[in-house]
Amino acid sequence: MKASERRLPATSEHLRYQFKKSMEDQGHRQQLLKLLSKTPIFADTREAFRTCIAKALVPVEFSKDDVIFRQGQRGDWLGILLSGRAQRSYPLGLDDLILGEVCPGGIVGDLGVLGIDTVRSFTITATSPCSMLALSRDAFQQAVAEAGGQVIIQLAHDAERMGRLEGGAEFFSKLQCLRCLEQECVVAMWEASEPRLYYPQQVLMREQEVGHDMFIIRAGKVKIEQGGQFIVELGSGVVVGELAVFGADKRRTATVTCTSLCFTHVLHSDVVHSILEKFPAAKRTFDHKYITRLVSIEMRTAPPGGPA
């Protein structure tokens, strides 16, 4: 990556000085360490490691409507939002698909700082004045080397392995729900998917909640539960959430929770349907698969003697 692409967002010496002075106060320092302990990437790590991270953080500010980073750009820094609101979006035709809001305590750019994917997968825009703390990949790696601990070393090891994965479009073409489609459609799905990282114990979806995304597990493991009962643990190559994407009923039929660090590719319902409109044969195949899957679920959940 070029040096210009590794650069942190611009900030002022005055802002750096104010932040440094605030960290001299034990109360402020402990508040920051507590915030770090609540972010998924730093949860369950040693305090010594979080202290190293705190010392390496750089304060940055954005005005309303500023683009923090843009989809397709390269970058390997992570941001932790301290105040304000930001919006994640993805270009879809002439409009932008709104992916969700980032609130205080939220993080962006973890794929870059972990070295899994340095190409930004979405655009993030400040919807109000924002204060953020930025962390470079170099500073993250130095903190791991100096004060890592088992949890973060294992996470960094898993991330390094995920960063070496190759053949994304080929991986998509081997998925059971996509392998019958024409290659151009599969490639379009791959290119439109959003790489996203989930951490141990994070919930991808909850049973009966409304959802609009399907998740393709590229690496890692998830557990499936229905009615509070464990059903099965699944790994790489599994697709979950597709019923809500293809069907009229957007309620999730199961709860899916990560049991390890998970590298996923996410496809939003609007993105999928915009692609299928360009490939009528693929749309018919998906419609058939959806009906077959729905009938299968109804048969499994029907009471003895048939559906009521």
Side-chain angles (χ1 to χ4, degrees), residues 187-224:
V187 171
M189 293 276 191
W190 158 251
E191 292 177 344
S193 67
E194 178 200 343
R196 198 182 294 176
L197 203 59
Y198 287 91
Y199 297 85
Q201 306 311 313
Q202 274 197 300
V203 177
L204 295 187
M205 63 186 72
R206 293 187 187 277
E207 189 173 359
Q208 293 303 312
E209 286 188 356
V210 172
H212 300 277
D213 297 325
M214 58 187 283
F215 302 84
I216 298 162
I217 311 301
R218 186 82 191 277
K221 293 183 178 181
V222 297
K223 65 177 179 180
I224 313 296

PDB file of all heavy atoms in Angstrom, residues 187-224:
ATOM      1  N   VAL A 187     -20.418 -13.337 -10.467  1.00  0.00           N
ATOM      2  CA  VAL A 187     -19.397 -12.302 -10.349  1.00  0.00           C
ATOM      3  C   VAL A 187     -20.014 -10.989  -9.879  1.00  0.00           C
ATOM      4  O   VAL A 187     -19.449 -10.276  -9.036  1.00  0.00           O
ATOM      5  CB  VAL A 187     -18.656 -12.109 -11.692  1.00  0.00           C
ATOM      6  CG1 VAL A 187     -17.745 -10.877 -11.634  1.00  0.00           C
ATOM      7  CG2 VAL A 187     -17.847 -13.347 -12.042  1.00  0.00           C
ATOM      8  N   ALA A 188     -21.198 -10.664 -10.407  1.00  0.00           N
ATOM      9  CA  ALA A 188     -21.894  -9.442  -9.997  1.00  0.00           C
ATOM     10  C   ALA A 188     -22.246  -9.494  -8.511  1.00  0.00           C
ATOM     11  O   ALA A 188     -22.122  -8.484  -7.794  1.00  0.00           O
ATOM     12  CB  ALA A 188     -23.153  -9.246 -10.833  1.00  0.00           C
ATOM     13  N   MET A 189     -22.678 -10.675  -8.035  1.00  0.00           N
ATOM     14  CA  MET A 189     -22.982 -10.834  -6.608  1.00  0.00           C
ATOM     15  C   MET A 189     -21.728 -10.624  -5.762  1.00  0.00           C
ATOM     16  O   MET A 189     -21.754  -9.951  -4.728  1.00  0.00           O
ATOM     17  CB  MET A 189     -23.551 -12.235  -6.343  1.00  0.00           C
ATOM     18  CG  MET A 189     -24.904 -12.496  -6.963  1.00  0.00           C
ATOM     19  SD  MET A 189     -26.257 -11.889  -5.940  1.00  0.00           S
ATOM     20  CE  MET A 189     -27.648 -12.656  -6.796  1.00  0.00           C
ATOM     21  N   TRP A 190     -20.625 -11.211  -6.207  1.00  0.00           N
ATOM     22  CA  TRP A 190     -19.365 -11.080  -5.477  1.00  0.00           C
ATOM     23  C   TRP A 190     -18.931  -9.620  -5.407  1.00  0.00           C
ATOM     24  O   TRP A 190     -18.575  -9.119  -4.336  1.00  0.00           O
ATOM     25  CB  TRP A 190     -18.300 -11.926  -6.163  1.00  0.00           C
ATOM     26  CG  TRP A 190     -16.888 -11.497  -5.868  1.00  0.00           C
ATOM     27  CD1 TRP A 190     -16.005 -10.896  -6.721  1.00  0.00           C
ATOM     28  CD2 TRP A 190     -16.190 -11.627  -4.631  1.00  0.00           C
ATOM     29  NE1 TRP A 190     -14.818 -10.645  -6.102  1.00  0.00           N
ATOM     30  CE2 TRP A 190     -14.895 -11.081  -4.810  1.00  0.00           C
ATOM     31  CE3 TRP A 190     -16.529 -12.141  -3.379  1.00  0.00           C
ATOM     32  CZ2 TRP A 190     -13.954 -11.044  -3.793  1.00  0.00           C
ATOM     33  CZ3 TRP A 190     -15.591 -12.099  -2.360  1.00  0.00           C
ATOM     34  CH2 TRP A 190     -14.316 -11.559  -2.571  1.00  0.00           C
ATOM     35  N   GLU A 191     -18.967  -8.938  -6.535  1.00  0.00           N
ATOM     36  CA  GLU A 191     -18.497  -7.553  -6.579  1.00  0.00           C
ATOM     37  C   GLU A 191     -19.379  -6.622  -5.752  1.00  0.00           C
ATOM     38  O   GLU A 191     -18.905  -5.596  -5.243  1.00  0.00           O
ATOM     39  CB  GLU A 191     -18.437  -7.073  -8.026  1.00  0.00           C
ATOM     40  CG  GLU A 191     -17.343  -7.780  -8.841  1.00  0.00           C
ATOM     41  CD  GLU A 191     -17.322  -7.354 -10.297  1.00  0.00           C
ATOM     42  OE1 GLU A 191     -18.332  -6.749 -10.752  1.00  0.00           O
ATOM     43  OE2 GLU A 191     -16.321  -7.626 -10.988  1.00  0.00           O
ATOM     44  N   ALA A 192     -20.673  -6.966  -5.616  1.00  0.00           N
ATOM     45  CA  ALA A 192     -21.602  -6.114  -4.872  1.00  0.00           C
ATOM     46  C   ALA A 192     -21.680  -6.463  -3.387  1.00  0.00           C
ATOM     47  O   ALA A 192     -22.325  -5.751  -2.621  1.00  0.00           O
ATOM     48  CB  ALA A 192     -22.996  -6.201  -5.485  1.00  0.00           C
ATOM     49  N   SER A 193     -21.028  -7.553  -2.974  1.00  0.00           N
ATOM     50  CA  SER A 193     -21.096  -7.962  -1.576  1.00  0.00           C
ATOM     51  C   SER A 193     -20.224  -7.053  -0.721  1.00  0.00           C
ATOM     52  O   SER A 193     -19.213  -6.519  -1.169  1.00  0.00           O
ATOM     53  CB  SER A 193     -20.661  -9.424  -1.414  1.00  0.00           C
ATOM     54  OG  SER A 193     -19.286  -9.577  -1.712  1.00  0.00           O
ATOM     55  N   GLU A 194     -20.628  -6.890   0.539  1.00  0.00           N
ATOM     56  CA  GLU A 194     -19.877  -6.058   1.488  1.00  0.00           C
ATOM     57  C   GLU A 194     -19.097  -6.952   2.451  1.00  0.00           C
ATOM     58  O   GLU A 194     -19.694  -7.660   3.252  1.00  0.00           O
ATOM     59  CB  GLU A 194     -20.832  -5.169   2.293  1.00  0.00           C
ATOM     60  CG  GLU A 194     -20.114  -4.325   3.336  1.00  0.00           C
ATOM     61  CD  GLU A 194     -21.049  -3.821   4.425  1.00  0.00           C
ATOM     62  OE1 GLU A 194     -22.274  -3.838   4.240  1.00  0.00           O
ATOM     63  OE2 GLU A 194     -20.520  -3.417   5.480  1.00  0.00           O
ATOM     64  N   PRO A 195     -17.755  -6.941   2.375  1.00  0.00           N
ATOM     65  CA  PRO A 195     -16.981  -7.690   3.373  1.00  0.00           C
ATOM     66  C   PRO A 195     -17.231  -7.093   4.759  1.00  0.00           C
ATOM     67  O   PRO A 195     -17.207  -5.877   4.927  1.00  0.00           O
ATOM     68  CB  PRO A 195     -15.526  -7.462   2.933  1.00  0.00           C
ATOM     69  CG  PRO A 195     -15.605  -6.977   1.529  1.00  0.00           C
ATOM     70  CD  PRO A 195     -16.895  -6.237   1.419  1.00  0.00           C
ATOM     71  N   ARG A 196     -17.503  -7.941   5.716  1.00  0.00           N
ATOM     72  CA  ARG A 196     -17.803  -7.444   7.059  1.00  0.00           C
ATOM     73  C   ARG A 196     -17.250  -8.427   8.085  1.00  0.00           C
ATOM     74  O   ARG A 196     -17.313  -9.642   7.884  1.00  0.00           O
ATOM     75  CB  ARG A 196     -19.322  -7.280   7.237  1.00  0.00           C
ATOM     76  CG  ARG A 196     -19.716  -6.383   8.402  1.00  0.00           C
ATOM     77  CD  ARG A 196     -21.231  -6.301   8.537  1.00  0.00           C
ATOM     78  NE  ARG A 196     -21.895  -5.632   7.428  1.00  0.00           N
ATOM     79  CZ  ARG A 196     -23.216  -5.517   7.311  1.00  0.00           C
ATOM     80  NH1 ARG A 196     -24.003  -6.051   8.251  1.00  0.00           N
ATOM     81  NH2 ARG A 196     -23.746  -4.889   6.281  1.00  0.00           N
ATOM     82  N   LEU A 197     -16.732  -7.896   9.169  1.00  0.00           N
ATOM     83  CA  LEU A 197     -16.139  -8.713  10.212  1.00  0.00           C
ATOM     84  C   LEU A 197     -17.051  -8.740  11.433  1.00  0.00           C
ATOM     85  O   LEU A 197     -17.575  -7.713  11.852  1.00  0.00           O
ATOM     86  CB  LEU A 197     -14.766  -8.137  10.600  1.00  0.00           C
ATOM     87  CG  LEU A 197     -13.738  -9.069  11.245  1.00  0.00           C
ATOM     88  CD1 LEU A 197     -13.412 -10.237  10.327  1.00  0.00           C
ATOM     89  CD2 LEU A 197     -12.478  -8.295  11.585  1.00  0.00           C
ATOM     90  N   TYR A 198     -17.233  -9.945  11.996  1.00  0.00           N
ATOM     91  CA  TYR A 198     -17.985 -10.108  13.239  1.00  0.00           C
ATOM     92  C   TYR A 198     -17.109 -10.836  14.246  1.00  0.00           C
ATOM     93  O   TYR A 198     -16.274 -11.669  13.876  1.00  0.00           O
ATOM     94  CB  TYR A 198     -19.277 -10.895  12.995  1.00  0.00           C
ATOM     95  CG  TYR A 198     -20.329 -10.108  12.260  1.00  0.00           C
ATOM     96  CD1 TYR A 198     -20.405 -10.154  10.873  1.00  0.00           C
ATOM     97  CD2 TYR A 198     -21.242  -9.306  12.945  1.00  0.00           C
ATOM     98  CE1 TYR A 198     -21.370  -9.425  10.181  1.00  0.00           C
ATOM     99  CE2 TYR A 198     -22.207  -8.571  12.267  1.00  0.00           C
ATOM    100  CZ  TYR A 198     -22.257  -8.632  10.891  1.00  0.00           C
ATOM    101  OH  TYR A 198     -23.206  -7.903  10.208  1.00  0.00           O
ATOM    102  N   TYR A 199     -17.334 -10.520  15.513  1.00  0.00           N
ATOM    103  CA  TYR A 199     -16.467 -11.010  16.576  1.00  0.00           C
ATOM    104  C   TYR A 199     -17.178 -12.081  17.403  1.00  0.00           C
ATOM    105  O   TYR A 199     -18.411 -12.199  17.354  1.00  0.00           O
ATOM    106  CB  TYR A 199     -16.017  -9.836  17.451  1.00  0.00           C
ATOM    107  CG  TYR A 199     -15.183  -8.842  16.672  1.00  0.00           C
ATOM    108  CD1 TYR A 199     -15.792  -7.833  15.923  1.00  0.00           C
ATOM    109  CD2 TYR A 199     -13.801  -8.948  16.643  1.00  0.00           C
ATOM    110  CE1 TYR A 199     -15.026  -6.945  15.163  1.00  0.00           C
ATOM    111  CE2 TYR A 199     -13.028  -8.062  15.904  1.00  0.00           C
ATOM    112  CZ  TYR A 199     -13.654  -7.071  15.162  1.00  0.00           C
ATOM    113  OH  TYR A 199     -12.896  -6.205  14.406  1.00  0.00           O
ATOM    114  N   PRO A 200     -16.419 -12.894  18.167  1.00  0.00           N
ATOM    115  CA  PRO A 200     -17.034 -13.943  18.978  1.00  0.00           C
ATOM    116  C   PRO A 200     -18.165 -13.399  19.853  1.00  0.00           C
ATOM    117  O   PRO A 200     -18.033 -12.350  20.474  1.00  0.00           O
ATOM    118  CB  PRO A 200     -15.865 -14.455  19.832  1.00  0.00           C
ATOM    119  CG  PRO A 200     -14.656 -14.191  18.994  1.00  0.00           C
ATOM    120  CD  PRO A 200     -14.939 -12.908  18.285  1.00  0.00           C
ATOM    121  N   GLN A 201     -19.275 -14.082  19.843  1.00  0.00           N
ATOM    122  CA  GLN A 201     -20.494 -13.779  20.596  1.00  0.00           C
ATOM    123  C   GLN A 201     -21.338 -12.664  19.968  1.00  0.00           C
ATOM    124  O   GLN A 201     -22.394 -12.326  20.511  1.00  0.00           O
ATOM    125  CB  GLN A 201     -20.191 -13.444  22.063  1.00  0.00           C
ATOM    126  CG  GLN A 201     -19.382 -14.512  22.793  1.00  0.00           C
ATOM    127  CD  GLN A 201     -19.954 -15.908  22.600  1.00  0.00           C
ATOM    128  OE1 GLN A 201     -21.157 -16.119  22.744  1.00  0.00           O
ATOM    129  NE2 GLN A 201     -19.104 -16.873  22.278  1.00  0.00           N
ATOM    130  N   GLN A 202     -20.906 -12.098  18.852  1.00  0.00           N
ATOM    131  CA  GLN A 202     -21.769 -11.137  18.156  1.00  0.00           C
ATOM    132  C   GLN A 202     -22.879 -11.876  17.432  1.00  0.00           C
ATOM    133  O   GLN A 202     -22.659 -12.949  16.850  1.00  0.00           O
ATOM    134  CB  GLN A 202     -20.972 -10.299  17.155  1.00  0.00           C
ATOM    135  CG  GLN A 202     -20.323  -9.067  17.759  1.00  0.00           C
ATOM    136  CD  GLN A 202     -19.900  -8.063  16.705  1.00  0.00           C
ATOM    137  OE1 GLN A 202     -19.089  -8.362  15.843  1.00  0.00           O
ATOM    138  NE2 GLN A 202     -20.445  -6.863  16.790  1.00  0.00           N
ATOM    139  N   VAL A 203     -24.072 -11.303  17.452  1.00  0.00           N
ATOM    140  CA  VAL A 203     -25.247 -11.920  16.839  1.00  0.00           C
ATOM    141  C   VAL A 203     -25.433 -11.362  15.431  1.00  0.00           C
ATOM    142  O   VAL A 203     -25.549 -10.150  15.245  1.00  0.00           O
ATOM    143  CB  VAL A 203     -26.508 -11.659  17.696  1.00  0.00           C
ATOM    144  CG1 VAL A 203     -27.744 -12.236  17.006  1.00  0.00           C
ATOM    145  CG2 VAL A 203     -26.345 -12.273  19.080  1.00  0.00           C
ATOM    146  N   LEU A 204     -25.470 -12.255  14.452  1.00  0.00           N
ATOM    147  CA  LEU A 204     -25.730 -11.838  13.066  1.00  0.00           C
ATOM    148  C   LEU A 204     -27.199 -11.508  12.876  1.00  0.00           C
ATOM    149  O   LEU A 204     -27.547 -10.543  12.179  1.00  0.00           O
ATOM    150  CB  LEU A 204     -25.333 -12.939  12.076  1.00  0.00           C
ATOM    151  CG  LEU A 204     -23.861 -13.331  11.969  1.00  0.00           C
ATOM    152  CD1 LEU A 204     -23.662 -14.305  10.826  1.00  0.00           C
ATOM    153  CD2 LEU A 204     -22.990 -12.114  11.760  1.00  0.00           C
ATOM    154  N   MET A 205     -28.064 -12.319  13.449  1.00  0.00           N
ATOM    155  CA  MET A 205     -29.509 -12.111  13.330  1.00  0.00           C
ATOM    156  C   MET A 205     -30.216 -12.790  14.491  1.00  0.00           C
ATOM    157  O   MET A 205     -29.698 -13.747  15.066  1.00  0.00           O
ATOM    158  CB  MET A 205     -30.036 -12.675  12.000  1.00  0.00           C
ATOM    159  CG  MET A 205     -29.867 -14.173  11.846  1.00  0.00           C
ATOM    160  SD  MET A 205     -30.340 -14.790  10.213  1.00  0.00           S
ATOM    161  CE  MET A 205     -29.005 -14.162   9.225  1.00  0.00           C
ATOM    162  N   ARG A 206     -31.384 -12.248  14.830  1.00  0.00           N
ATOM    163  CA  ARG A 206     -32.179 -12.817  15.924  1.00  0.00           C
ATOM    164  C   ARG A 206     -33.504 -13.325  15.388  1.00  0.00           C
ATOM    165  O   ARG A 206     -34.143 -12.682  14.547  1.00  0.00           O
ATOM    166  CB  ARG A 206     -32.433 -11.775  17.018  1.00  0.00           C
ATOM    167  CG  ARG A 206     -31.179 -11.353  17.756  1.00  0.00           C
ATOM    168  CD  ARG A 206     -31.508 -10.456  18.936  1.00  0.00           C
ATOM    169  NE  ARG A 206     -30.305  -9.918  19.552  1.00  0.00           N
ATOM    170  CZ  ARG A 206     -29.571 -10.556  20.439  1.00  0.00           C
ATOM    171  NH1 ARG A 206     -29.944 -11.767  20.840  1.00  0.00           N
ATOM    172  NH2 ARG A 206     -28.485 -10.002  20.939  1.00  0.00           N
ATOM    173  N   GLU A 207     -33.906 -14.459  15.905  1.00  0.00           N
ATOM    174  CA  GLU A 207     -35.165 -15.080  15.499  1.00  0.00           C
ATOM    175  C   GLU A 207     -36.335 -14.115  15.691  1.00  0.00           C
ATOM    176  O   GLU A 207     -36.435 -13.441  16.715  1.00  0.00           O
ATOM    177  CB  GLU A 207     -35.393 -16.350  16.317  1.00  0.00           C
ATOM    178  CG  GLU A 207     -36.552 -17.213  15.836  1.00  0.00           C
ATOM    179  CD  GLU A 207     -36.620 -18.534  16.570  1.00  0.00           C
ATOM    180  OE1 GLU A 207     -35.748 -18.791  17.436  1.00  0.00           O
ATOM    181  OE2 GLU A 207     -37.540 -19.324  16.278  1.00  0.00           O
ATOM    182  N   GLN A 208     -37.166 -14.000  14.667  1.00  0.00           N
ATOM    183  CA  GLN A 208     -38.375 -13.173  14.624  1.00  0.00           C
ATOM    184  C   GLN A 208     -38.102 -11.689  14.374  1.00  0.00           C
ATOM    185  O   GLN A 208     -39.039 -10.933  14.132  1.00  0.00           O
ATOM    186  CB  GLN A 208     -39.221 -13.339  15.902  1.00  0.00           C
ATOM    187  CG  GLN A 208     -39.831 -14.720  16.059  1.00  0.00           C
ATOM    188  CD  GLN A 208     -40.708 -15.119  14.877  1.00  0.00           C
ATOM    189  OE1 GLN A 208     -41.551 -14.351  14.427  1.00  0.00           O
ATOM    190  NE2 GLN A 208     -40.507 -16.316  14.358  1.00  0.00           N
ATOM    191  N   GLU A 209     -36.853 -11.264  14.385  1.00  0.00           N
ATOM    192  CA  GLU A 209     -36.572  -9.872  14.037  1.00  0.00           C
ATOM    193  C   GLU A 209     -36.603  -9.698  12.520  1.00  0.00           C
ATOM    194  O   GLU A 209     -36.328 -10.633  11.766  1.00  0.00           O
ATOM    195  CB  GLU A 209     -35.206  -9.431  14.583  1.00  0.00           C
ATOM    196  CG  GLU A 209     -35.210  -9.197  16.082  1.00  0.00           C
ATOM    197  CD  GLU A 209     -33.911  -8.570  16.574  1.00  0.00           C
ATOM    198  OE1 GLU A 209     -32.983  -8.395  15.752  1.00  0.00           O
ATOM    199  OE2 GLU A 209     -33.830  -8.272  17.781  1.00  0.00           O
ATOM    200  N   VAL A 210     -36.922  -8.495  12.072  1.00  0.00           N
ATOM    201  CA  VAL A 210     -36.960  -8.207  10.643  1.00  0.00           C
ATOM    202  C   VAL A 210     -35.531  -7.979  10.137  1.00  0.00           C
ATOM    203  O   VAL A 210     -34.717  -7.330  10.795  1.00  0.00           O
ATOM    204  CB  VAL A 210     -37.818  -6.961  10.363  1.00  0.00           C
ATOM    205  CG1 VAL A 210     -37.717  -6.535   8.906  1.00  0.00           C
ATOM    206  CG2 VAL A 210     -39.272  -7.244  10.732  1.00  0.00           C
ATOM    207  N   GLY A 211     -35.214  -8.534   8.976  1.00  0.00           N
ATOM    208  CA  GLY A 211     -33.889  -8.374   8.396  1.00  0.00           C
ATOM    209  C   GLY A 211     -33.941  -8.232   6.888  1.00  0.00           C
ATOM    210  O   GLY A 211     -34.911  -8.656   6.248  1.00  0.00           O
ATOM    211  N   HIS A 212     -32.906  -7.639   6.319  1.00  0.00           N
ATOM    212  CA  HIS A 212     -32.850  -7.414   4.866  1.00  0.00           C
ATOM    213  C   HIS A 212     -31.521  -7.855   4.268  1.00  0.00           C
ATOM    214  O   HIS A 212     -31.274  -7.606   3.089  1.00  0.00           O
ATOM    215  CB  HIS A 212     -33.079  -5.927   4.566  1.00  0.00           C
ATOM    216  CG  HIS A 212     -34.397  -5.412   5.045  1.00  0.00           C
ATOM    217  ND1 HIS A 212     -35.566  -5.561   4.333  1.00  0.00           N
ATOM    218  CD2 HIS A 212     -34.743  -4.774   6.199  1.00  0.00           C
ATOM    219  CE1 HIS A 212     -36.572  -5.009   5.006  1.00  0.00           C
ATOM    220  NE2 HIS A 212     -36.096  -4.536   6.141  1.00  0.00           N
ATOM    221  N   ASP A 213     -30.677  -8.508   5.056  1.00  0.00           N
ATOM    222  CA  ASP A 213     -29.359  -8.933   4.581  1.00  0.00           C
ATOM    223  C   ASP A 213     -29.238 -10.450   4.613  1.00  0.00           C
ATOM    224  O   ASP A 213     -29.835 -11.116   5.468  1.00  0.00           O
ATOM    225  CB  ASP A 213     -28.237  -8.354   5.457  1.00  0.00           C
ATOM    226  CG  ASP A 213     -28.182  -6.840   5.419  1.00  0.00           C
ATOM    227  OD1 ASP A 213     -28.460  -6.280   4.353  1.00  0.00           O
ATOM    228  OD2 ASP A 213     -27.872  -6.235   6.467  1.00  0.00           O
ATOM    229  N   MET A 214     -28.423 -10.980   3.703  1.00  0.00           N
ATOM    230  CA  MET A 214     -28.001 -12.374   3.786  1.00  0.00           C
ATOM    231  C   MET A 214     -26.494 -12.387   4.004  1.00  0.00           C
ATOM    232  O   MET A 214     -25.770 -11.498   3.546  1.00  0.00           O
ATOM    233  CB  MET A 214     -28.384 -13.163   2.528  1.00  0.00           C
ATOM    234  CG  MET A 214     -27.838 -12.630   1.238  1.00  0.00           C
ATOM    235  SD  MET A 214     -28.509 -13.504  -0.219  1.00  0.00           S
ATOM    236  CE  MET A 214     -27.555 -15.026  -0.172  1.00  0.00           C
ATOM    237  N   PHE A 215     -26.027 -13.376   4.764  1.00  0.00           N
ATOM    238  CA  PHE A 215     -24.634 -13.437   5.179  1.00  0.00           C
ATOM    239  C   PHE A 215     -23.979 -14.692   4.614  1.00  0.00           C
ATOM    240  O   PHE A 215     -24.499 -15.801   4.793  1.00  0.00           O
ATOM    241  CB  PHE A 215     -24.531 -13.462   6.706  1.00  0.00           C
ATOM    242  CG  PHE A 215     -25.165 -12.278   7.383  1.00  0.00           C
ATOM    243  CD1 PHE A 215     -26.528 -12.256   7.655  1.00  0.00           C
ATOM    244  CD2 PHE A 215     -24.398 -11.177   7.750  1.00  0.00           C
ATOM    245  CE1 PHE A 215     -27.117 -11.171   8.278  1.00  0.00           C
ATOM    246  CE2 PHE A 215     -24.971 -10.087   8.378  1.00  0.00           C
ATOM    247  CZ  PHE A 215     -26.333 -10.076   8.641  1.00  0.00           C
ATOM    248  N   ILE A 216     -22.858 -14.511   3.966  1.00  0.00           N
ATOM    249  CA  ILE A 216     -22.073 -15.626   3.433  1.00  0.00           C
ATOM    250  C   ILE A 216     -20.816 -15.738   4.291  1.00  0.00           C
ATOM    251  O   ILE A 216     -20.012 -14.807   4.357  1.00  0.00           O
ATOM    252  CB  ILE A 216     -21.711 -15.388   1.958  1.00  0.00           C
ATOM    253  CG1 ILE A 216     -22.996 -15.310   1.117  1.00  0.00           C
ATOM    254  CG2 ILE A 216     -20.806 -16.503   1.431  1.00  0.00           C
ATOM    255  CD1 ILE A 216     -22.822 -14.682  -0.228  1.00  0.00           C
ATOM    256  N   ILE A 217     -20.678 -16.853   4.996  1.00  0.00           N
ATOM    257  CA  ILE A 217     -19.553 -17.038   5.909  1.00  0.00           C
ATOM    258  C   ILE A 217     -18.328 -17.471   5.105  1.00  0.00           C
ATOM    259  O   ILE A 217     -18.291 -18.580   4.573  1.00  0.00           O
ATOM    260  CB  ILE A 217     -19.878 -18.079   6.996  1.00  0.00           C
ATOM    261  CG1 ILE A 217     -21.243 -17.799   7.648  1.00  0.00           C
ATOM    262  CG2 ILE A 217     -18.760 -18.099   8.034  1.00  0.00           C
ATOM    263  CD1 ILE A 217     -21.352 -16.449   8.307  1.00  0.00           C
ATOM    264  N   ARG A 218     -17.350 -16.581   5.016  1.00  0.00           N
ATOM    265  CA  ARG A 218     -16.122 -16.893   4.271  1.00  0.00           C
ATOM    266  C   ARG A 218     -15.127 -17.640   5.164  1.00  0.00           C
ATOM    267  O   ARG A 218     -14.406 -18.522   4.711  1.00  0.00           O
ATOM    268  CB  ARG A 218     -15.496 -15.585   3.775  1.00  0.00           C
ATOM    269  CG  ARG A 218     -14.295 -15.786   2.854  1.00  0.00           C
ATOM    270  CD  ARG A 218     -14.730 -16.054   1.437  1.00  0.00           C
ATOM    271  NE  ARG A 218     -13.631 -16.504   0.612  1.00  0.00           N
ATOM    272  CZ  ARG A 218     -12.755 -15.688   0.016  1.00  0.00           C
ATOM    273  NH1 ARG A 218     -12.870 -14.380   0.168  1.00  0.00           N
ATOM    274  NH2 ARG A 218     -11.809 -16.177  -0.757  1.00  0.00           N
ATOM    275  N   ALA A 219     -15.071 -17.254   6.422  1.00  0.00           N
ATOM    276  CA  ALA A 219     -14.186 -17.921   7.380  1.00  0.00           C
ATOM    277  C   ALA A 219     -14.754 -17.710   8.778  1.00  0.00           C
ATOM    278  O   ALA A 219     -15.345 -16.678   9.067  1.00  0.00           O
ATOM    279  CB  ALA A 219     -12.771 -17.367   7.288  1.00  0.00           C
ATOM    280  N   GLY A 220     -14.548 -18.704   9.656  1.00  0.00           N
ATOM    281  CA  GLY A 220     -15.092 -18.627  11.005  1.00  0.00           C
ATOM    282  C   GLY A 220     -16.253 -19.583  11.198  1.00  0.00           C
ATOM    283  O   GLY A 220     -16.632 -20.322  10.281  1.00  0.00           O
ATOM    284  N   LYS A 221     -16.854 -19.560  12.400  1.00  0.00           N
ATOM    285  CA  LYS A 221     -17.953 -20.463  12.719  1.00  0.00           C
ATOM    286  C   LYS A 221     -19.100 -19.714  13.389  1.00  0.00           C
ATOM    287  O   LYS A 221     -18.876 -18.741  14.120  1.00  0.00           O
ATOM    288  CB  LYS A 221     -17.476 -21.599  13.635  1.00  0.00           C
ATOM    289  CG  LYS A 221     -16.492 -22.550  12.975  1.00  0.00           C
ATOM    290  CD  LYS A 221     -16.116 -23.694  13.901  1.00  0.00           C
ATOM    291  CE  LYS A 221     -15.178 -24.665  13.226  1.00  0.00           C
ATOM    292  NZ  LYS A 221     -14.823 -25.810  14.118  1.00  0.00           N
ATOM    293  N   VAL A 222     -20.324 -20.196  13.134  1.00  0.00           N
ATOM    294  CA  VAL A 222     -21.520 -19.630  13.759  1.00  0.00           C
ATOM    295  C   VAL A 222     -22.372 -20.774  14.311  1.00  0.00           C
ATOM    296  O   VAL A 222     -22.292 -21.905  13.838  1.00  0.00           O
ATOM    297  CB  VAL A 222     -22.368 -18.811  12.748  1.00  0.00           C
ATOM    298  CG1 VAL A 222     -21.581 -17.618  12.232  1.00  0.00           C
ATOM    299  CG2 VAL A 222     -22.846 -19.686  11.581  1.00  0.00           C
ATOM    300  N   LYS A 223     -23.187 -20.445  15.328  1.00  0.00           N
ATOM    301  CA  LYS A 223     -24.134 -21.440  15.843  1.00  0.00           C
ATOM    302  C   LYS A 223     -25.546 -20.983  15.513  1.00  0.00           C
ATOM    303  O   LYS A 223     -25.853 -19.790  15.503  1.00  0.00           O
ATOM    304  CB  LYS A 223     -23.963 -21.646  17.343  1.00  0.00           C
ATOM    305  CG  LYS A 223     -24.299 -20.440  18.209  1.00  0.00           C
ATOM    306  CD  LYS A 223     -24.165 -20.777  19.694  1.00  0.00           C
ATOM    307  CE  LYS A 223     -24.487 -19.550  20.559  1.00  0.00           C
ATOM    308  NZ  LYS A 223     -24.375 -19.847  22.013  1.00  0.00           N
ATOM    309  N   ILE A 224     -26.394 -21.948  15.221  1.00  0.00           N
ATOM    310  CA  ILE A 224     -27.788 -21.693  14.862  1.00  0.00           C
ATOM    311  C   ILE A 224     -28.670 -22.150  16.019  1.00  0.00           C
ATOM    312  O   ILE A 224     -28.522 -23.262  16.530  1.00  0.00           O
ATOM    313  CB  ILE A 224     -28.202 -22.461  13.587  1.00  0.00           C
ATOM    314  CG1 ILE A 224     -27.144 -22.300  12.485  1.00  0.00           C
ATOM    315  CG2 ILE A 224     -29.567 -22.012  13.116  1.00  0.00           C
ATOM    316  CD1 ILE A 224     -26.978 -20.891  11.989  1.00  0.00           C
TER     317      ILE A 224
END
